[in-house]
């Protein structure tokens, strides 16, 4: 007998399908430049369609953070976990698991920059497709979904008050380095938990990044086209 929630050992790796979905993006996906402190772990794709096909698409990249990449056994690399999460990681079920699932569970021991870098494309431009709007939306999404404990929130996502980040917090005219060149972009530098930066891409897409303020010292804030 196999329970519905138990994945068979040969269950396909969802990252394969994610890679195929990323290829559907009409513009090149941009991520943080390769660096020892970061390991890309996931690429999530979302979008909206109508009778003519996709009218918007986005790819969000997640990373594992290594505060001491030269020694991954260093306790400095470990995330701060509550007892429930730690117990879930340590528990080994009595049935075999897919190797990719074991790897994902192991990654939970380390800090995750979940959905930190996003490339967004719109088929048409209008007032809600600007860099200002997209950067503020990405910021609020990360704060709502990944900083609940830090913000003292309990219960369901839909019961929580919206973060106090609005389009007025966006400051334009900063320099953002992409593929070795500096482009004019924007930032949100008003939130105590995250620092946010973005820029319009030459391909027509929009790059946004929402990064933990406490870990900025370990991250080189530079971006490259992802291949």
């Amino acid at each position: 007998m196999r329970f519905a929630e138990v994945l068979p050992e040969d269950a396909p790796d969802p990252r394969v399908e994610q890679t195929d979905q990323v290829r559907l993006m009409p513009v090149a996906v941009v991520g943080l430049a390769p660096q020892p402190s970061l390991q890309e772990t996931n690429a999530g794709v979302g979008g909206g369609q109508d009778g003519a096909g996709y009218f918007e698409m986005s790819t969000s990249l997640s990373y594992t953070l290594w505060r001491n990449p030269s020694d991954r056994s260093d306790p400095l690399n470990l995330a701060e976990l509550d007892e429930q999460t730690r117990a879930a990681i340590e528990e080994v079920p009595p049935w075999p698991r897919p190797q990719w699932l074991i790897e994902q569970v192991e990654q939970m021991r380390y800090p995750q920059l979940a959905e930190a870098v996003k490339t967004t494309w719109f088929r048409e431009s209008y007032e809600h497709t600007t860099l200002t709007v997209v950067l503020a939306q990405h910021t609020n999404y990360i704060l709502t979904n990944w900083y609940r404990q830090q913000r003292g929130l309990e219960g369901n996502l839909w019961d929580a008050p919206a973060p106090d980040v609005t389009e007025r917090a966006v400051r334009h005219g900063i320099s953002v380095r992409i593929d070795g060149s500096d482009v004019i972009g924007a930032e949100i530098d008003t939130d105590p938990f995250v620092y946010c930066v973005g820029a319009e891409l030459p391909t027509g897409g929009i790059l946004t990044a929402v990064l933990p303020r406490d870990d900025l010292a370990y991250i080189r804030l530079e971006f490259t086209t992802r291949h």
Side-chain angles (χ1 to χ4, degrees), residues 79-91 105 107-110 149:
E80 294 184 10
L81 304 174
D82 56 39
E83 289 300 324
Q84 183 177 3
T85 302
R86 186 176 293 106
I89 294 173
E90 298 293 343
E91 181 181 3
V105 172
Q107 285 171 358
M108 293 171 61
R109 299 181 186 275
Y110 309 102
Q149 182 177 359

Side-chain angles (χ1 to χ4, degrees), residues 191-209:
D191 186 82
F193 304 117
V194 294
Y195 172 74
C196 317
V197 64
E200 296 180 0
L201 300 169
T203 57
I206 296 175
L207 162 72
T208 54

Side-chain angles (χ1 to χ4, degrees), residues 25-112:
M25 283 284 292
V27 297
V29 174
V30 175
L32 283 160
Q35 48 196 289
S37 61
L38 297 176
Q39 176 185 350
E40 185 183 314
T41 55
N42 187 52
V45 179
Q49 300 184 62
D50 58 19
Y54 281 100
F55 58 84
E56 67 175 81
M57 285 192 75
S58 63
T59 295
S60 299
L61 302 180
S62 300
Y63 301 84
T64 296
L65 175 70
W66 300 100
R67 299 190 181 102
N68 182 6
S70 62
D71 181 8
R72 293 193 173 186
S73 65
D74 187 338
L76 182 65
N77 288 317
L78 296 174
E80 294 184 10
L81 304 174
D82 56 39
E83 289 300 324
Q84 183 177 3
T85 302
R86 186 176 293 106
I89 294 173
E90 298 293 343
E91 181 181 3
V92 178
W95 52 79
R97 295 176 294 172
Q99 182 59 37
W100 58 264
L101 180 58
I102 295 173
E103 293 172 0
Q104 287 188 350
V105 172
E106 186 64 20
Q107 285 171 358
M108 293 171 61
R109 299 181 186 275
Y110 309 102
Q112 303 296 310

